[in-house]
Amino acid sequence: MKAYISRNILSDAIDVLKQYGFEVTVNTENKKLTQQELIEACQHADVLLNVGHADLDKHFLESCKHLKSIALASVGYDHVDVETATALGIPVSNTPDVLSGATADVAFLLMLAVSRKAFYRANEVREGKWKDFEFMQDLGIELNGKTLGIYGLGRIGLELAKKAKAAYNMNIIYYNRSRNPEAEELVEAKYVNFDELLTQSDVISAHTNLSLETQYRFNKDAFKRMKKSAIFINTARGKVHHEQDLLEALQQGEIWGAGLDVTDPEPISPNNPLLQLPNVCVLPHIGSATVETRTQMAIMAANNLIAVKYSNPMMQIVNKEVYS
Ligand code: NAP
């Protein structure tokens, strides 16, 4: 069986595939392929291990309908037309759980960094702008005992809630479409409606998957409902917030600060005015970017392809109806 890997990954996963008899081709060029290049590369493959967020849309899938499966090295699959994959009989898998801790770490890091304007001030030091001790300059806000509102309390949201509870005894409230009894028990999370989440939270952290329902959920209206002292964190997907509305909310003092690991588009333009604001931290989508987590993600994706080789269902299947 021939596997194509769309970006370089840790060699452990490539070795596992080879041990199981796969002929492996890796895009080692360290650049994102255009869709046409990816389509062409997949013509010689039986299965695809997709690294990154290339658009696996209807056109891609119909051009690659010979693929026996697609293993994503990501938990999010908003970049895949799952309905078309299912219609074409292509199983798609993702990598849940193994990246929850690392991604929650980044949300926590952003929450703390924004609350103390840490990145902005570190830049000032680098630029030689640190002149004197200023008692009243650039004061931050503390997180201890504050209310953390989680929009989408699933795997990653729960990891963040645990960290926030342990570090700062934060009071956890959340909004999902359905309740999360595990989180209610583990971190005493309180279920609220979306409006209560907006109005009661000192920090709001977004952890939903991107869908038509969650797209631009944090827009002008939502930011207006939030506390003026609130911090908005997004490590989910850039389109969960409306970037221009976020900028205006920050400029007009409707919210206090924002920390983003995801932007719309990615990469963010270096000229984006968000990057000049003292209470904003932007990271380049590094949620799962640790050696440990990326290794586990790559191996999980490889194991899903190995299952396909032995005619077994993929373990972390996204479209299980493909098997029925
Ligand atoms: P998850 O366990 O499925 O959690 C998603 C949560 O969102 C669920 O609790 C779900 O609850 C809730 N949700 C879904 N639709 C909703 C809606 N319309 N309104 C309110 N809540 C909604 O997923 P996860 O593993 O935590 O991952 C979450 C997302 O994080 C991924 O989809 C991915 O986009 C992103 N991510 C980013 C990075 C990064 O590098 N920054 C890394 C990993 C993941 P209900 O179904 O009950 O609504």
Side-chain angles (χ1 to χ4, degrees), residues 75-76 78 99-100 103 151-157 175-178 207-211 213-214 235-237 261-262 285-288:
V75 70
D78 48 280
L99 43 57
S100 300
T103 309
Y151 177 62
L153 182 51
R155 291 172 291 242
I156 298 171
Y175 173 69
N176 282 4
R177 289 166 304 177
S178 52
H207 295 284
T208 50
N209 46 309
L210 178 63
S211 66
E213 282 175 43
T214 63
T235 58
R237 285 289 179 265
D261 186 44
V262 287
H285 203 143
I286 58 163
S288 64

Side-chain angles (χ1 to χ4, degrees), residues 108 111 143 145-154 156-176 180 182-192 196-197 200-203 205 207:
F108 190 93
M111 179 170 75
L143 299 172
K146 297 274 169 68
T147 295
L148 169 62
I150 298 189
Y151 177 62
L153 182 51
I156 298 171
L158 180 55
E159 289 306 309
L160 174 65
K162 286 189 214 161
K163 291 172 203 291
K165 191 93 191 156
Y168 295 118
N169 195 24
M170 291 181 87
N171 167 40
I172 312 293
I173 61 176
Y174 75 103
Y175 173 69
N176 282 4
N180 183 333
E182 187 193 2
E184 291 185 13
E185 191 179 330
L186 280 176
V187 292
E188 298 166 73
K190 183 175 158 223
Y191 187 73
V192 294
E196 290 167 329
L197 188 90
Q200 293 177 15
S201 301
D202 296 303
V203 179
S205 193
H207 295 284

Side-chain angles (χ1 to χ4, degrees), residues 1-5 13-15 17-18 21-26:
M1 194 174 257
K2 292 180 182 163
Y4 185 72
I5 304 182
I14 300 172
D15 294 345
L17 285 171
K18 286 183 177 165
F22 280 84
E23 214 178 285
V24 181
T25 307
V26 187

